[in-house]
Amino acid sequence: MQLRISFKDIFPDETPKAKFEEYLVGIEKSILLRVATDLISKGNHQISLEKWFDSSAKTMRDNFIYADIELRFSKFAMKNQEMGFINRISSLRFFEYLLPMEDNNSVSILSNFQQKLQIFQAYLWLNEQQNENEKKFIESIKKSSFFANKSTFLILPTQQFGQNYNDPYLPAFLLGQNFHSYYINNYEFRDVLYAQIVKACELFQFLESRQDLKLYLTKFLENTKSKTWEDYLRKFLPLIRHKNEFKSALLVIEEADIREFIADFVLQADDTDTDKDFRAIRAKPIFKDLKKENTYHIVFELFLLEKMYSVMFFTLKDIDKQLLKTGEAVKLNRKGEEEPFKSFYGSEFVEKWLLYKMLENIFSNLDFKFEKGNNLTFEGEPDFYALQGENVYLFECKDTLVNAEVKHSYDFLEIEKEIKKKLYWKQGKTKQGEIKEESKAIRQLLNNAERILSNFKEFKFDKEDKKIYPIVVVDSQSINSLGVNSLLRHWFDEELTALKKAKPDLKWQNVRPIVLVDMDTFILYQTALANGSLVLHQLLDKYIEFTTLNVEEYKMGGKELLEQHYLDVVKPFSFFMQERYSNFITLDKLKEYGKLLFTDDDNV
């Protein structure tokens, strides 16, 4: 865990300025924008003070200031070995704050050292805001039922993790500290690109296949000035650049038609929405160079990648609103649902098209029996189940797109409530208007596990001594963070304990702990799972063992090993796979999609 250096740590005798932009007076905006995008590209990779200031101190005053900063930096480092000041959230905030600033300085009027100093101070000012938010989060943990009940999810044996970490709250603290930023900080470019291409192609084919959605596709193509969806992706893919040297990528676009195509991707001076989830940058992840003709900068490669698929839902949602006004929208039950198009998209595309297709690809090549949820006729059916030998996999696919206010709230109670509502249970109403609890993934999976243990006839297989694997599948990465699977497992275990007491005759020991798996993981590893190179139940068992707290075993290996174990138990399944099995990812499926987009004559 890396401690974030803040303004007070390095400048304890200075009063922070009231506004971020006050630190940047006298510095050319084009310089600031380039610095910001380079910092975003660095992610959480640290650079030394020496490299930051780069021998720019020329006067006695400059050298005195630099020496003082270096001394305080060293003192902080002595107390906290894992520390740094660069982090992607502050870097994105830095860029976001720059957008509305006027460029009053066509040429910077400050010395090189003074510019670097003021940018450094502005950056630490942003870190200060994050640190203050995390203090609020620790206070919110103390108000939770986990704290009051001394829950095993929350309370860990005493072990120091640095002066700013109160380790008894470690699982919950890591959840809160990372919930808004885990994917932003821990993505793999290749994996995201692969998954986004696959999901984008599948979504376009889904829209094309449905008569009631063809108008949505037509509107999208009109808006993006594309002839077909293949044409759209052919123009989009060359925009993607990846640079390993932590520098922002440049696009030099001479073709007028491509400049017209990317116009909606390019930030304008009036794009000043500084919401908590970087909505403006996600929508338009490119900016035009203020000085060079036909030259553009990619603000953040992940946000550009996500324009291919992840942002498409919001685009289609906007088209749905437009078509509602003209009476041309897809026919849905729009009265009973809070967000009817979102529910339709999750059910019809994410579950019944994308999930079914991925799981069928995996299970069709082996000695599996499987059934899709829409072929099951009983109430409360799983979204998908598969059987191989003694192993039964139960799948529930859920919408987990998290509200930005909650995502960045730094409030454990709010985050807990949001996850519970999406994956455990939420309050609903009967047709008569009475309040009732509506079961979500955890309870639904346990209900069907109980049916299998009770020899429920609608599951058409021999149910004797089957090992049951409950799996929650999510398409959005917004909930795939440190600590979330730990929280689900805690709730799952509580429900399971109650069921064991209520129905002790059933073989509850055959029910394995719940695992949260993101859709991208199935996409990336579908070939290895389909050909038997990887076996799903073995992966799940290894992950369950990896994320099971075992203090007695690990403390024998010393403090460092135990500390690492505490951090491992909260990791998501996707991270576990990335660390151990990334060499099993193959591009053969990607080649299939490539054939849809490009001919042999295309230079790609």
Side-chain angles (χ1 to χ4, degrees), residues 349-361:
F349 172 66
V350 176
E351 178 192 328
K352 294 177 183 174
W353 183 282
L354 187 59
L355 177 68
Y356 285 0
K357 195 163 189 177
M358 292 307 118
L359 294 183
E360 283 181 305
N361 286 345

Side-chain angles (χ1 to χ4, degrees), residues 66-243:
Y66 178 74
D68 189 53
I69 292 172
E70 192 174 38
L71 178 63
R72 295 187 188 281
F73 216 84
S74 299
K75 285 182 178 178
F76 190 89
M78 286 174 66
K79 292 180 182 178
N80 308 280
Q81 291 181 348
E82 292 289 322
M83 65 88 187
F85 69 96
I86 294 175
N87 66 94
R88 188 160 274 140
I89 294 298
S90 287
S91 299
L92 284 163
R93 289 271 175 257
F94 190 97
F95 182 89
E96 198 174 46
Y97 275 119
L98 294 176
L99 287 177
M101 286 175 54
E102 293 184 15
D103 189 12
N104 294 322
N105 303 286
S106 56
V107 178
S108 296
I109 59 176
L110 303 174
S111 70
N112 191 22
F113 176 80
Q114 190 63 32
Q115 289 183 58
K116 291 176 181 291
L117 174 63
Q118 289 181 200
I119 293 171
F120 181 65
Q121 289 177 316
Y123 199 92
L124 296 186
W125 184 91
L126 292 170
N127 283 352
E128 193 80 47
Q129 314 307 308
Q130 280 202 75
N131 289 354
E132 288 302 313
N133 283 331
E134 285 173 6
K135 287 177 185 175
K136 294 176 190 173
F137 186 81
I138 290 176
E139 291 306 310
S140 74
I141 292 173
K142 295 177 182 177
K143 297 175 185 175
S144 75
S145 59
F146 292 105
F147 185 84
N149 300 332
K150 297 184 177 180
S151 163
T152 53
F153 164 70
L154 194 68
I155 305 299
L156 291 179
T158 301
Q159 192 76 29
Q160 291 305 310
F161 284 84
Q163 62 179 14
N164 292 342
Y165 290 85
N166 199 341
D167 57 279
Y169 320 140
L170 185 66
F173 180 78
L174 286 174
L175 191 159
Q177 186 193 41
N178 291 275
F179 194 65
H180 64 296
S181 62
Y182 184 75
Y183 185 56
I184 283 175
N185 287 326
N186 294 280
Y187 71 93
E188 287 290 330
F189 178 87
R190 177 200 64 175
D191 298 353
V192 179
L193 176 61
Y194 187 169
Q196 290 285 313
I197 291 173
V198 169
K199 291 194 285 189
C201 289
E202 290 296 337
L203 176 56
F204 285 126
Q205 289 178 90
F206 167 73
L207 295 173
E208 208 171 37
S209 73
R210 301 239 337 201
Q211 192 62 39
D212 56 351
L213 293 174
K214 283 186 177 178
L215 188 54
Y216 288 70
L217 179 57
T218 300
K219 291 290 182 185
F220 172 80
L221 296 175
E222 287 174 1
N223 294 344
T224 58
K225 303 171 183 64
S226 305
K227 295 175 184 176
T228 64
W229 64 264
E230 294 93 339
D231 175 50
Y232 169 77
L233 288 177
R234 278 195 292 268
K235 288 188 285 191
F236 182 97
L237 286 169
L239 301 176
I240 295 167
R241 299 285 189 277
H242 179 56
K243 300 195 75 169

